[in-house]
Amino acid sequence: MATSTAATLEKVVSLCKRKGFVFQSCDIYGGLNGVYDFGPLGVALKNHIKDLWIKEITQFPEDVVMLDGALLGHQDVWKASGHLENFSDPMVDCMNCKKRFRADELDLEKPCQSCGVKNWTDVRQFMLMFQTQLGAMSDKASTAYLRPETAQTIFTNFKNVTSSTRVKVPFGIAQIGKSFRNEITPKQFLFRVREFEQMELEFFCSPDESDKFFDLWLQRRRDFYKKLGLNKENLRFRKHKPNELAHYSKYCTDVEYCFPFGWKELEGIAHRGDYDLTQHSNHSGKDLSYFDATTNKKFMPHVVECSVGVDRLMLTILFDAYREDNVKGEQRTYLALSPTLAPITAAILPLTKKLSENAHKLFIDLKQKGFSVQFDEAGSVGKRYRRQDEIGTPVCCTYDFDSENDACVTVRNRDTLAQERISIDAVASYLQKLKA
Ligand code: ATP
């Protein structure tokens, strides 16, 4: 069985559309650039990624609590965070073909890659935040921004969380939610989009312990990616050089993945010092420092941040899982997704429609037990296997004529193609074990 991980951007985009993972948003109107809708399987995969992330970051001795902040943000928040002043990319236009580019991704000494003519405009800074107005007035006071990251709502709610719950530093506030960036050139499918979801953890600790917790979270994130089962050769942790660091950041390490279009950032892990809480204290006039009752000391907590995009991680997982092989002379495409992430855990297939009624009983039983299962009685069993392989279903359970007598089904493994006969009563515990 020859297996290849021949994932290309085109193949993954096509599979996502064909199988209902991801659709171009508003495609019946020609599409909205850099904006995507998630279909049934995409939602399931995303939810499994998010569940795993929450499970991973909340398993440690220190508390990590969740927040769901608003998408619309007060302009003063973005002033304090530095986004209003600095959150921009350099932009340049080709005066010949009118195409627009990020100037830091081009060599402006060379002609335009699109039309071959060298005729650039001056480089301008382009603000990446989406601006909007609240209410009927369109004056400066009513200006608000769609958040370009979830982190700032965590910082602005730091006092609310510490005074309304029993958490004590060191602890973390985590958030999963939408962020918006008006990227100049959205590209590479889900990699760079204008509306996306982030999973961010802001971990608050005393200045003395901040280096220790930075190292600890680095290790914990390594363990997370190990558990995801991503191909080790395509994953690396890259420490930022001093000249790459934001002025307030002590250390930063990017988790990078080798996409078909090169090594790119997947997650950022940063020691942010006390920059954020200090900025918000100064701008709001509210003291956001923390009083530690056990040591009788007041200090501004330091922050370790772990920030990853759900969409970018989903794309990574799809690239990593994409496989093509040859089964009995027939080309097969499949997703080698782990059972924890796969949108569907098992498919129940009656060999013929005559057996549907009893096979359906197994399907309903598994559904009621909380498994994500599909029932498929259409077409040859081989075709049905292919359909499930392509969406990454780890196992198919075939109910055949023998099942009527021995109360067993044949369970076929997506990756090894091995088949085993197991009792219908044992299918639920079999699937449970698979997902563990
Ligand atoms: P990049 O350099 O790729 O633009 P960044 O350094 O600006 O990323 P951060 O601000 O650190 O990104 O955001 C944290 C994470 O959020 C990124 O590692 C990525 O997974 C995700 N992310 C950021 N921007 C986008 C985007 N436009 N589309 C999809 N995901 C994004």
Side-chain angles (χ1 to χ4, degrees):
M1 190 169 63
T3 300
S4 81
T5 53
T8 63
L9 191 58
E10 293 70 29
K11 285 177 183 175
V12 170
V13 172
S14 156
L15 185 140
C16 281
K17 180 168 186 190
R18 210 169 55 245
K19 293 292 164 185
F21 282 90
V22 185
F23 308 117
Q24 174 74 57
S25 192
C26 312
D27 59 354
I28 60 169
Y29 291 101
L32 200 53
N33 198 9
V35 185
Y36 291 91
D37 296 332
F38 291 81
L41 295 185
V43 172
L45 179 53
K46 276 220 281 187
N47 283 343
H48 294 166
I49 293 171
K50 291 187 253 185
D51 289 347
L52 198 67
W53 185 79
I54 293 176
K55 198 170 148 204
E56 278 296 307
I57 58 160
T58 54
Q59 65 171 307
F60 301 107
E62 312 89 34
D63 279 326
V64 171
V65 293
M66 300 294 296
L67 182 86
D68 186 9
L71 308 188
L72 286 166
H74 195 296
Q75 51 183 305
D76 290 350
V77 169
W78 307 110
K79 204 168 167 188
S81 68
H83 282 80
L84 266 179
E85 200 180 334
N86 301 318
F87 200 56
S88 56
D89 278 338
M91 174 175 77
V92 70
D93 293 338
C94 168
M95 291 211 264
N96 185 52
C97 71
K98 313 288 179 226
K99 283 236 164 79
R100 181 161 281 179
F101 302 93
R102 256 177 74 169
D104 55 339
E105 290 179 346
L106 293 180
D107 179 352
L108 295 175
E109 296 306 314
K110 293 197 175 146
C112 168
Q113 63 198 50
S114 178
C115 67
V117 174
K118 188 179 153 206
N119 191 3
W120 301 115
T121 61
D122 288 340
V123 174
R124 293 101 70 211
Q125 287 300 320
F126 178 74
M127 219 259 278
L128 296 177
M129 281 197 296
F130 285 98
Q131 184 179 322
T132 189
Q133 304 296 134
L134 295 188
M137 304 296 284
S138 56
D139 55 2
K140 196 160 180 289
S142 66
T143 300
Y145 295 89
L146 284 177
R147 63 183 186 186
E149 60 176 36
T150 70
Q152 295 306 320
T153 46
I154 296 181
F155 300 129
T156 55
N157 278 293
F158 174 73
K159 246 306 98 68
N160 288 334
V161 173
T162 49
S163 58
S164 63
T165 70
R166 300 193 50 78
V167 290
K168 300 216 163 19
V169 170
F171 79 100
I173 304 181
Q175 180 167 202
I176 299 179
K178 288 268 185 176
S179 293
F180 302 83
R181 296 185 187 181
N182 200 2
E183 300 281 357
I184 298 170
T185 45
K187 58 184 167 193
Q188 283 126 358
F189 193 35
L190 300 178
F191 182 81
R192 187 172 301 288
V193 286
R194 291 186 166 133
E195 174 179 337
F196 54 100
E197 266 184 298
Q198 285 183 311
M199 303 189 283
E200 297 197 292
L201 165 70
E202 307 301 326
F203 191 83
F204 300 93
C205 54
S206 73
D208 307 345
E209 289 197 308
S210 62
D211 284 6
K212 177 187 97 180
F213 278 113
F214 179 78
D215 290 342
L216 205 55
W217 279 104
L218 213 51
Q219 186 54 46
R220 290 170 178 180
R221 300 308 293 150
R222 270 185 200 281
D223 295 343
F224 171 77
Y225 286 101
K226 210 189 247 175
K227 271 193 204 159
L228 274 186
L230 297 177
N231 180 350
K232 272 199 294 236
E233 268 149 38
N234 287 339
L235 197 73
R236 71 180 182 199
F237 278 56
R238 192 183 65 81
K239 197 172 160 191
H240 278 209
K241 297 187 194 87
N243 65 354
E244 286 180 88
L245 290 171
H247 64 91
Y248 49 79
S249 184
K250 202 164 163 192
Y251 323 103
C252 185
T253 291
D254 282 349
V255 184
E256 295 185 337
Y257 185 80
C258 187
F259 292 93
F261 40 87
W263 284 97
K264 301 277 178 196
E265 174 184 331
L266 182 55
E267 168 164 353
I269 302 162
H271 183 310
R272 299 180 64 91
D274 62 4
Y275 174 76
D276 306 279
L277 291 181
T278 303
Q279 284 294 100
H280 287 301
S281 288
N282 293 343
H283 280 75
S284 68
K286 307 274 172 354
D287 180 9
L288 300 183
S289 61
Y290 178 80
F291 179 73
D292 188 331
T294 46
T295 58
N296 257 343
K297 276 193 188 146
K298 195 171 155 185
F299 58 88
M300 198 57 93
H302 279 215
V303 168
V304 175
E305 175 183 82
C306 306
S307 171
V308 56
V310 181
D311 318 64
R312 206 176 271 189
L313 182 53
M314 170 170 161
L315 181 65
T316 308
I317 288 167
L318 288 169
F319 271 125
D320 207 77
Y322 187 95
R323 304 273 192 285
E324 288 170 359
D325 67 0
N326 215 290
V327 179
K328 293 182 192 148
E330 216 186 288
Q331 157 108 11
R332 171 175 85 131
T333 299
Y334 69 105
L335 293 179
L337 292 172
S338 80
T340 328
L341 294 176
I344 310 292
T345 309
I348 312 301
L349 317 176
L351 189 62
T352 75
K353 284 195 179 158
K354 279 191 200 130
L355 298 165
S356 284
E357 199 181 324
N358 284 340
H360 202 258
K361 281 186 193 149
L362 170 61
F363 166 70
I364 294 295
D365 179 56
L366 292 171
K367 254 174 97 114
Q368 284 173 345
K369 288 185 171 129
F371 290 101
S372 174
V373 281
Q374 257 187 14
F375 185 76
D376 189 359
E377 55 179 5
S380 72
V381 170
K383 273 218 179 90
R384 285 182 266 167
Y385 283 159
R386 297 290 172 280
R387 278 205 284 269
Q388 296 300 329
D389 291 344
E390 222 182 346
I391 61 171
T393 306
V395 291
C396 289
C397 305
T398 305
Y399 187 99
D400 57 23
F401 288 102
D402 289 339
S403 307
E404 302 275 288
N405 301 316
D406 66 3
C408 289
V409 284
T410 300
V411 178
R412 176 252 194 199
N413 182 292
R414 174 200 64 205
D415 300 340
T416 63
L417 305 178
Q419 303 201 357
E420 57 183 314
R421 197 87 185 142
I422 68 169
S423 154
I424 287 173
D425 288 343
V427 173
S429 57
Y430 180 93
L431 297 183
Q432 199 58 54
K433 233 185 261 161
L434 205 62
K435 286 180 73 177

